[in-house]
Amino acid sequence: MNIFILSVSEHIYSTQRIYKEANRRGHKVRVVNHLKCSIKLTNGKPEIIYEGENIIDIPDVIIPRIGASATRHGAAVVKEFEMNGVYSTATSLGILRAQNKVRTLQIMNRKNIPIPNTLFSVNPENISEQIDLLGGAPIIIKLQEGTHGSGVILAESKKSAKSIIDTMYSTNTSILLQEFIQESNSEDIRAFVVNDKVISSMKRKGLEDDFRSNIHQGGSGFKVDLSLEEEKMAIKAAQHLSLPVTGVDLIRSKRGPLLIEVNSTPGLQGIEAYTKDNIAKAIIKFLEEKCLNKDSKTTS
């Protein structure tokens, strides 16, 4: 297979791991910086220009590693490859949906996947009412497009919540409000889904003085077994967002597991280190099976 990894750097851990596993299994693999790709549309013949070359017809599959800062352009590049018949481990639509927390939670709620009680508004005149609608303080305040635990604030009192929300509204910052699940004990679960299967899962725990569980914020992790309900929830979330390869984040509450986020570009470093599972190899093996099935259908 000809595999393109769309990544801003070949030195990122996840990009390196996928590259090495693809190369080890005998595939032609190339890291393409999507930020340096130009899309040319002329006379019904689209082109993707990278380093002076039209690369649109080269790959059999692409593995997008699109960060939050480049979502729109990255998704546009993925879309052009998709329309040219190239298989992607994350659809352009899935990338756009997952990067927007509100859009993700709207879809999950409509599909009856349990989530924490959530509210979003742009009205600065009824902040007190918004907090009351979630049962009062403490509440979680999140940037709609934050990543790695950044842009997530715990407001422990109604006074502090009102002050933070008012500031966010005054700067036109898009936020959402969520109930604080105290019994989660600063822990969450990352389920790594590949091809409608949870291939690995870990529990992440935040620092003693930090309610956030994200490893990028100094937390730790360990391998964990999911309940059947949690496994089904993660798989359905990936399907609803059209993300064949994704990371689904859950927390355990008194009323059962709750989905908090879906990541279209899940990192491999933490989960491979703590679980010892070879995630990169699983991704490449999935693509091999996908291309083999595609080729057999074409020739039959």
Side-chain angles (χ1 to χ4, degrees), residues 47-60:
E47 297 180 3
I48 298 176
I49 308 300
Y50 181 67
E51 296 181 340
E53 177 188 13
N54 180 16
I55 61 173
I56 196 168
D57 292 321
I58 297 177
D60 298 303

Side-chain angles (χ1 to χ4, degrees), residues 32-149:
V32 172
N33 185 343
H34 46 281
L35 293 182
K36 295 182 179 180
C37 288
S38 299
I39 299 172
K40 181 183 177 183
L41 307 175
T42 306
N43 298 324
K45 295 180 180 180
E47 297 180 3
I48 298 176
I49 308 300
Y50 181 67
E51 296 181 340
E53 177 188 13
N54 180 16
I55 61 173
I56 196 168
D57 292 321
I58 297 177
D60 298 303
V61 296
I62 58 172
I63 303 173
R65 306 288 306 170
I66 310 297
S69 62
T71 300
R72 292 183 181 178
H73 182 74
V77 173
V78 172
K79 183 65 175 178
E80 281 303 325
F81 278 120
E82 286 176 335
M83 291 191 295
N84 203 47
V86 178
Y87 184 77
S88 176
T89 58
T91 66
S92 55
L93 181 59
I95 292 168
L96 291 170
R97 285 174 168 174
Q99 289 286 8
N100 187 305
K101 291 183 175 67
V102 167
R103 181 63 58 85
T104 295
L105 293 173
Q106 284 179 308
I107 294 170
M108 297 301 109
N109 192 55
R110 180 59 63 92
K111 298 295 184 179
N112 293 314
I113 292 180
I115 61 173
N117 291 329
T118 302
L119 184 146
F120 51 93
S121 174
V122 293
N123 183 5
E125 297 178 3
N126 66 343
I127 293 175
S128 182
E129 180 183 337
Q130 294 173 35
I131 297 169
D132 290 340
L133 286 170
L134 291 174
I139 63 169
I140 302 294
I141 303 167
K142 294 183 179 181
L143 297 181
Q144 289 188 18
E145 296 186 352
T147 58
H148 299 320

Side-chain angles (χ1 to χ4, degrees), residues 186-252:
S186 299
E187 296 177 344
D188 74 4
I189 293 170
R190 162 61 61 86
F192 209 108
V193 180
V194 176
N195 193 28
D196 297 338
K197 295 178 183 178
V198 175
I199 62 165
S200 184
S201 53
M202 69 171 174
K203 180 177 283 189
R204 303 179 294 192
K205 184 170 179 61
L207 296 172
E208 187 174 341
D209 58 348
D210 193 341
F211 75 97
R212 297 170 299 181
S213 58
N214 200 291
I215 289 172
H216 286 85
Q217 300 296 333
S220 59
F222 54 91
K223 191 177 180 71
V224 69
D225 293 326
L226 301 187
S227 68
L228 183 59
E229 183 181 6
E230 290 166 340
E231 193 169 329
K232 287 181 177 179
M233 185 184 296
I235 293 169
K236 286 181 179 178
Q239 291 172 338
H240 292 320
L241 292 186
S242 300
L243 294 172
V245 175
T246 188
V248 180
D249 296 342
L250 312 169
I251 56 174
R252 289 170 172 169

